[in-house]
Amino acid sequence: MADDRAERIAEFIEPLRVAPGSEVHLARDFDPGYKAGVRKKKDGEELLRSGTELLADYQRRLAAQDTYGVLVCLQALDAGGKDGTIRHVMSGVNPQGVRVTAFKVPSAEELDHDYLWRYARHMPARGEIGIFNRSHYEEVLVVRVHPENLRRQKLPAAARKGDVWERRYREINDWERYLTDNGFRIVKLFLNMSKEEQRIRFLKRIDVPERNWKFSSADVRERARWDDYQWAFSHMLSATSTEWAPWYVLPADHKWFTRICAAAVLAHTLIDIDPRYPQVSDESRKQLAEAGRELEREAPKGAAADPYAASVPGSGKGGGGKRKHSGGRGKRSGKKG
Ligand code: ATP
Ligand code: MG
């Protein structure tokens, strides 16, 4: 059954995956309005709910196992829906196991380092899911579209020579491979919105007072560079979708559908990692059983010695099942606390 679910998720996300080595032309290859046959938002709600429940379960195991970490990189143009995707997809998971980092224009301190430095600093630890709201991919997107960003990076002359972008693609791929080899899986999501949908979302930010704060005139200036960004995204997707860290292009014109896709891709990765609760050694199991007996002896008169034993098969205390009241031998006061 679980395999069945894993297979359905894998099938669902397959059309979104950028095949490593393929050449992407965003406009030709990916439809921002795609809905995979799910017609209405309402039909998608159940899907998203089961997706987020599954994520919550896997995240608990990921944390308990403490061996793998997962980094989710979210890229999109302004109003592409990154914030809402994070909010909805992560709604069921324990906030302690997730860290979100938003990357803005680099600070002076950050510019004093190599360009990957600030991203490495915010990597999730083992057992955690880290989310990059914008990521190291800005280094080949906004920095490419606006070369003045590159000039601010204080690179030595040699590092500005030749094909800077090809070199960065390679460095990014190498870095991600290094992370993957060391137990950090990378989930790369590009929220692919149409130009018309962006126009409508910007207008909504202007028209609805509660959304005014979200609007910035800089966003409209960036919109003017739409074609340059599409071009930069296409190149980036072609060059950096790898076997170890493939890109997924999520249709982003219907926010509810984007969220289902994001949950599905993340779930796919977690299912693949298949984190397990740590196995308890025989010695620890004996200690658990002893501690269990001790607690049972403390049961107040009339209370079940262990109300849980019946409901937890193989409850780790050996024996399992219902145990008889073994306490109440007259030594305890029966006081609470
Ligand atoms: P929102 O607008 O939804 O709050 P946002 O991610 O757009 O979220 P902003 O503060 O509006 O956040 O924008 C951050 C800006 O920082 C973006 O324009 C982005 O291109 C820019 N940025 C991010 N990384 C870099 C970088 N390495 N070099 C230059 N600019 C960058
Ligand atoms: Mg913005």
Side-chain angles (χ1 to χ4, degrees):
M1 274 174 309
D3 284 350
D4 198 44
R5 190 173 54 179
E7 211 166 286
R8 269 184 290 133
I9 292 174
E11 257 170 47
F12 177 78
I13 65 170
E14 184 53 32
L16 316 177
R17 184 170 175 273
V18 176
S22 64
E23 196 170 303
V24 176
H25 293 277
L26 266 181
R28 177 194 72 188
D29 300 333
F30 293 97
D31 172 12
Y34 175 70
K35 289 190 276 178
V38 190
R39 268 198 296 274
K40 289 196 287 282
K41 182 173 175 175
K42 216 168 160 297
D43 302 329
E45 274 165 10
E46 183 56 38
L47 262 173
L48 183 61
R49 193 167 31 243
S50 58
T52 52
E53 278 168 15
L54 188 139
L55 288 181
D57 171 41
Y58 272 90
Q59 190 246 340
R60 278 193 290 272
R61 291 199 247 156
L62 188 81
Q65 191 185 36
D66 202 19
T67 303
Y68 291 93
V70 176
L71 172 67
V72 181
C73 299
L74 276 177
Q75 286 295 154
L77 287 176
D78 291 302
K82 291 179 281 121
D83 293 349
T85 300
I86 297 170
R87 218 170 34 246
H88 283 81
V89 173
M90 290 304 175
S91 60
V93 310
N94 181 352
Q96 291 207 65
V98 181
R99 62 164 92 172
V100 184
T101 312
F103 291 99
K104 313 276 179 183
V105 177
S107 67
E109 188 195 15
E110 288 166 344
L111 290 172
D112 250 345
H113 291 266
D114 62 279
Y115 73 92
L116 288 177
W117 179 77
R118 66 171 184 161
Y119 308 99
R121 287 181 90 201
H122 292 283
M123 278 298 294
R126 298 190 194 281
E128 284 183 338
I129 298 176
I131 300 179
F132 282 0
N133 183 346
R134 300 186 186 268
S135 68
H136 48 295
Y137 283 97
E138 292 294 334
E139 303 295 337
V140 291
L141 293 166
V142 69
V143 179
R144 188 169 194 177
V145 172
H146 298 282
E148 62 272 23
N149 287 309
L150 191 66
R151 286 196 285 278
R152 279 194 211 105
Q153 294 191 351
K154 307 199 220 173
L155 295 166
R160 276 179 275 121
K161 273 222 247 25
D163 198 331
V164 175
W165 312 112
E166 284 305 321
R167 197 160 58 234
R168 286 200 169 191
Y169 293 147
R170 176 177 53 74
E171 289 158 351
I172 287 172
N173 288 341
D174 288 347
W175 184 56
E176 291 180 355
R177 179 160 207 160
Y178 158 79
L179 292 170
T180 310
D181 284 347
N182 284 280
F184 295 92
R185 297 286 297 268
I186 301 158
V187 175
K188 303 190 296 200
L189 308 176
F190 168 51
L191 279 44
N192 183 33
M193 162 189 59
S194 68
K195 195 172 183 189
E196 174 56 6
E197 181 62 23
Q198 189 194 50
R199 188 180 74 88
I200 294 167
R201 289 184 191 175
F202 279 174
L203 281 170
K204 195 166 179 185
R205 290 179 176 185
I206 292 167
D207 294 340
V208 181
E210 293 77 31
R211 290 186 187 247
N212 285 171
W213 67 275
K214 274 231 141 203
F215 184 76
S216 131
S217 47
D219 291 355
V220 177
R221 279 201 301 277
E222 285 305 275
R223 177 178 164 80
R225 306 294 301 272
W226 181 272
D227 291 341
D228 297 330
Y229 272 107
Q230 295 294 303
W231 177 87
F233 267 110
S234 296
H235 273 274
M236 176 280 274
L237 292 166
S238 311
T240 60
S241 197
T242 54
E243 294 295 344
W244 54 92
W247 271 104
Y248 289 86
V249 178
L250 313 190
D253 277 4
H254 305 284
K255 287 180 178 174
W256 59 269
F257 189 70
T258 315
R259 291 161 191 171
I260 295 172
C261 295
V265 176
L266 181 51
H268 175 72
T269 304
L270 288 165
I271 290 170
D272 191 52
I273 294 174
D274 194 21
R276 306 285 175 105
Y277 288 109
Q279 284 290 310
V280 173
S281 68
D282 286 350
E283 183 52 34
S284 311
R285 205 184 304 276
K286 266 190 221 144
Q287 284 169 6
L288 278 177
E290 182 45 47
R293 280 191 292 276
E294 184 64 34
L295 287 166
E296 287 177 8
R297 282 194 288 275
E298 287 179 24
K301 262 216 172 76
D306 182 351
Y308 281 110
S311 59
V312 185
S315 60
K317 288 183 191 168
K322 252 196 186 110
R323 244 165 306 214
K324 268 191 282 181
H325 195 304
S326 55
R329 272 170 226 137
K331 285 257 162 80
R332 285 171 298 105
S333 67
K335 258 194 322 210
K336 282 202 183 116

